Amino acid sequence: MIVSSYQPYFAPFPGFFAKALHADVFVLMDAVQFPRGTTWLTRNRFKNDQGALWLTIPVWKKGLGLQKINDVRICYDFPWQKKHLTSLKTAYAKAPFFEEHLPFLEEIFSQKFENLLLLNLKIIRHLMESLRVPAKIVLLSELDLKEKEPKLSVEICRKMGASGFVAQSGAKKYLDPQGFERAGIELKFFNPRPVVYPQLWGACLPNLSAFDLLFHCGPKSHDILSRMPEPKGVNAT
């Protein structure tokens, strides 16, 4: 069994799902600290006639100190949902496959989710299904682990009975290759490259939300993700 992990980003970029394609189990790191500054957990980029279109989910932070991701609550004190939905409709009305996902967008922007994790998790599941990513989602909070990196990822693999772990290349600085080796777990690193595909509004902007890929490419999106390079071992060049 191959395990990989990522924090539960808001409407993640294609590389998030390309990495999940190389795993049997995809662990969403919901029980780690929510960042103090800007974060992909609450915002992502789409595209309109002006270029990058940022959508941000407002959350409660002031006076709450350090929070875990799964404790962060969404703020509904102003009508941001209606604004976000209108922005997406305006930007993507002419995208070939936008109408296929519009009912889902209308559904999530009409609900009030108890916390950020529930919103992000529903979006991630929809995107994984649409992109035909078969990995099983497991939440870190379900595994009852107290360790922190560099031990945490090793213990996740032990708990899941994994034979391998796929990490993004940027994680090399905080993972312990020797720890994986001692545990008999093969460690590989994945370096997603920006995907290029036809977009509305001019030249392709890389690393937008995977929704943008689906709105433009529909069923072909899976094949586009599959063309990314395979994960490489620790000592590979």
Side-chain angles (χ1 to χ4, degrees):
M1 178 198 299
I2 306 300
V3 169
S4 189
S5 66
Y6 234 121
Q7 290 190 4
Y9 288 171
F10 167 65
F13 76 121
F16 180 101
F17 300 99
K19 183 183 174 188
L21 275 174
H22 296 289
D24 301 298
V25 176
F26 198 47
V27 178
L28 295 179
M29 309 292 277
D30 66 317
V32 300
Q33 183 180 320
F34 183 76
R36 287 182 175 273
T38 57
T39 170
W40 296 108
L41 290 160
T42 57
R43 66 177 193 159
N44 218 318
R45 298 186 311 148
F46 296 78
K47 188 181 181 184
N48 62 12
D49 60 341
Q50 302 298 309
L53 168 66
W54 286 93
L55 296 188
T56 300
I57 307 301
V59 297
W60 293 106
K61 292 190 290 184
K62 188 175 181 180
L64 296 175
L66 298 178
Q67 302 182 80
K68 291 183 179 179
I69 291 171
N70 55 10
D71 290 329
V72 175
R73 294 179 296 116
I74 298 174
C75 173
Y76 290 104
D77 283 0
F78 57 96
W80 58 267
Q81 295 166 289
K82 182 178 180 180
K83 181 180 178 182
H84 285 3
L85 183 58
T86 299
S87 295
L88 291 172
K89 287 181 176 180
T90 301
Y92 292 105
K94 294 183 179 180
F97 300 95
F98 177 68
E99 290 293 327
E100 292 184 12
H101 301 275
L102 182 56
F104 174 77
L105 295 172
E106 291 175 335
E107 177 187 356
I108 62 169
F109 287 128
S110 65
Q111 295 182 39
K112 288 189 175 181
F113 292 86
E114 182 179 347
N115 58 41
L116 178 67
L117 174 65
L118 293 179
L119 169 63
N120 288 359
L121 183 57
K122 185 157 188 174
I123 291 173
I124 289 169
R125 290 189 187 281
H126 174 80
L127 290 171
M128 287 183 71
E129 180 179 354
S130 301
L131 292 164
R132 307 203 315 270
V133 178
K136 176 185 177 182
I137 289 178
V138 172
L139 298 179
L140 176 61
S141 57
E142 297 171 341
L143 300 180
D144 193 29
L145 295 172
K146 307 301 181 185
E147 289 80 6
K148 296 181 179 181
E149 298 296 6
K151 293 182 179 180
L152 178 56
S153 292
V154 176
E155 291 307 310
I156 288 173
C157 291
R158 288 183 188 272
K159 187 90 173 187
M160 301 297 300
S163 58
F165 184 76
V166 176
Q168 57 266 39
S169 296
K172 289 181 179 180
K173 58 188 176 184
Y174 63 80
L175 292 181
D176 176 18
Q178 289 73 34
F180 282 93
E181 185 176 1
R182 288 192 297 270
I185 299 164
E186 183 180 16
L187 174 61
K188 289 188 175 183
F189 290 100
F190 179 63
N191 185 24
R193 65 187 180 196
V195 295
V196 178
Y197 54 93
Q199 293 176 350
L200 295 173
W201 317 118
C204 181
L205 289 181
N207 293 330
L208 302 178
S209 167
F211 272 119
D212 187 90
L213 173 62
L214 282 167
F215 294 161
H216 289 100
C217 299
K220 293 182 180 179
S221 300
H222 173 85
D223 297 332
I224 292 171
L225 290 185
S226 300
R227 297 185 198 128
M228 286 197 187
E230 294 286 321
K232 295 183 178 180
V234 175
N235 299 317
T237 57

